[in-house]
Amino acid sequence: MNDGELRNLLRGADADFEKPIIAPGELAGRVRRLDQKRRRRSRVLLTAVPVVVVAAVATAWSLVPRAALPTGTEKSVAGAALDWGEIERLQAEADFHERLARQMIALRKRDRALEQAQRALAEPDPLDVVREQVDVVAYRMIQRADELRTQMDPSEEAIRLYRDVEQLFPKTHSAEVARERLTALAAREGET
């Protein structure tokens, strides 16, 4: 097998794989846009909490029945007691609404984190995709070398392909197979 045939073989192996759906530059842009969107939502939520608390206090204040105020000296003492009791109740209600808003924000953050984790798990890692492609190319080279070896025993082209797999893809299973086949061929040549 000459260089042209090997190139054609590699191109054919490469053509069998789908091209990545998203280019790395496009992926980076998408990540940036999602991050900006997340930050905007966070700012809106952080702005909304005080507004919700103020609205709750204002609503509670408008719903509180106004008691008939006593006259004279009793008016100032009873009014002060009523105001403090009302203020304490409103403060407790405002605290409750603030805790509720914080819990809702925390739950939303947790839900968003879970959604992101699920999306990340659903999408394949680009490095894993590349590793799979490398493994397939190396495997196909081994298959081609095996075919050549069965057609023309011993074949210099097959030996060269085994060596290429061993050198080009050293950390793959196909490299181990290539080493075993080269060892077997060398042992066979040693017997003759």
Side-chain angles (χ1 to χ4, degrees), residues 72-141:
T73 354
E74 298 170 345
K75 179 179 179 180
S76 62
V77 172
L82 179 68
D83 287 343
W84 282 111
E86 209 171 303
I87 289 172
E88 287 175 0
R89 187 181 63 73
L90 289 173
Q91 182 63 45
E93 191 174 331
D95 290 343
F96 169 77
H97 286 290
E98 182 183 3
R99 280 192 309 274
L100 186 63
R102 289 185 188 276
Q103 288 173 352
M104 289 172 62
I105 290 170
L107 286 173
R108 181 64 186 140
K109 282 182 181 178
R110 189 202 69 195
D111 289 347
R112 262 189 263 129
L114 286 173
E115 288 171 6
Q116 288 175 347
Q118 287 173 344
R119 270 188 258 124
L121 289 174
E123 295 176 4
D125 183 18
L127 287 176
D128 289 339
V129 172
V130 169
R131 286 184 189 113
E132 287 176 20
Q133 291 174 351
V134 165
D135 286 341
V136 168
V137 169
Y139 177 75
R140 288 186 178 167
M141 288 175 71

Side-chain angles (χ1 to χ4, degrees), residues 135 138-139 142 162 164-182:
D135 286 341
Y139 177 75
I142 291 289
Y162 289 138
D164 285 347
V165 169
E166 191 177 30
Q167 291 172 357
L168 295 173
F169 312 106
K171 295 182 181 181
T172 63
H173 175 69
S174 297
E176 293 174 23
V177 171
R179 280 186 216 102
E180 290 172 6
R181 305 251 167 90
L182 285 170

Side-chain angles (χ1 to χ4, degrees), residues 8-27:
N8 288 337
L9 177 68
L10 289 174
R11 280 188 195 121
D14 191 36
D16 288 345
F17 288 102
E18 293 180 16
K19 300 296 181 201
I21 296 172
I22 300 173
E26 192 177 320
L27 182 62

